[in-house]
Amino acid sequence: LEFRRVLFRSAAASSSQTVRVIVQTKGRPTAAHDGAISGKGGRKRQSFDELNAITADVPASAVASLAERDDVEYVSPDRAVRASMDVTRDSVGASQVQAGAPGVKSLTGKGVGIAIIDSGISARHPDFMDKKKSRVVAAVDFTTPGSGVDGNGMLLGDAILMGDGDKDGHGTGVASVAAGNGSASKGYGESYVGIAPEANLIDLKVLDDNGIGSTSGTMAAINWAVANQKKYNVRVINLSLGARVRESYHTDPLCKA
């Protein structure tokens, strides 16, 4: 398999070396997948039922046979992801949409939920406030293992409730492009308004203070956004991050998610 030949060539000399992988399953993960992982001396870390995937630690020598199973679609490494963004308001025509036109109502994103999967959001930033209330309606941290809560205090595996902060700063910048109302830039000659200045924001933190995260953490955030879509009216998921291209988008777990 390409995965075994290229990505784990260096591990060949030490077949007992443990590697963290994303296992894409055919259909939702089942007990059979769990048994296959443990049977090869591996340990399942988390299942992503909405994404038909599992993240696990397995011996490098077992990766090829795991990938060959009939109930497994593909196996790939849990690669590092890093922050990236290159988009502007005018380039997508947002300013025209916000202004409206004769006979066409303007749109500002009011009532729509935008999930920002990034380094966090500084919820009290002026651009996210509406009548002294933050439009960041939920915040969940996927960078710290263990049980935790979401924005409404409900238990959620492998996530914890965040405070009002974003030490890296990238996520707050991304959120301002998506839904900033321009309040902080008033008096600077131009008001820098985002794409949907009245939309609600859902803060799903997957990048740490250095802007580094993992594929599995990012998939966990996507899984959460899909599972809570109706609750927060999530209509948009933004990921201004990525990893090096190592395989086709047909098999890359993050692309498929």
Side-chain angles (χ1 to χ4, degrees), residues 12-88:
S14 178
S15 60
S16 62
Q17 178 181 345
T18 299
V19 292
R20 186 162 299 170
V21 297
I22 305 295
V23 180
Q24 296 177 41
T25 57
K26 293 181 179 179
R28 288 197 169 198
T30 66
H33 295 112
D34 296 349
I37 292 169
S38 61
K40 296 181 184 300
R43 181 175 69 91
K44 184 182 78 169
R45 295 184 62 83
Q46 190 172 3
S47 292
F48 306 124
D49 292 343
E50 304 291 343
L51 307 178
N52 298 339
I54 298 171
T55 180
D57 295 328
V58 298
S61 59
V63 172
S65 59
L66 183 63
E68 290 171 349
R69 287 177 57 88
D70 291 339
D71 57 356
V72 170
E73 185 72 33
Y74 193 72
V75 180
S76 56
D78 185 7
R79 300 190 178 97
V81 296
R82 300 175 185 274
S84 63
M85 184 187 72
D86 185 17
V87 63
T88 62

Side-chain angles (χ1 to χ4, degrees), residues 128-152:
F128 307 137
M129 302 300 291
D130 180 17
K131 298 178 181 178
K132 297 183 179 182
K133 182 179 179 180
S134 177
R135 286 183 288 114
V136 179
V137 297
V140 186
D141 186 348
F142 294 92
T143 66
T144 305
S147 62
V149 296
D150 69 6
N152 284 338

Side-chain angles (χ1 to χ4, degrees), residues 99-171:
V104 179
K105 182 181 179 180
S106 63
L107 298 174
T108 62
K110 190 174 182 64
V112 172
I114 301 176
I116 304 294
I117 298 179
D118 212 284
S119 64
I121 301 175
S122 293
R124 295 295 173 182
H125 189 285
D127 274 22
F128 307 137
M129 302 300 291
D130 180 17
K131 298 178 181 178
K132 297 183 179 182
K133 182 179 179 180
S134 177
R135 286 183 288 114
V136 179
V137 297
V140 186
D141 186 348
F142 294 92
T143 66
T144 305
S147 62
V149 296
D150 69 6
N152 284 338
M154 298 174 63
L155 289 176
L156 182 67
D158 287 340
I160 61 173
L161 180 64
M162 290 177 58
D164 184 17
D166 169 23
K167 292 183 178 179
D168 181 69
H170 187 268

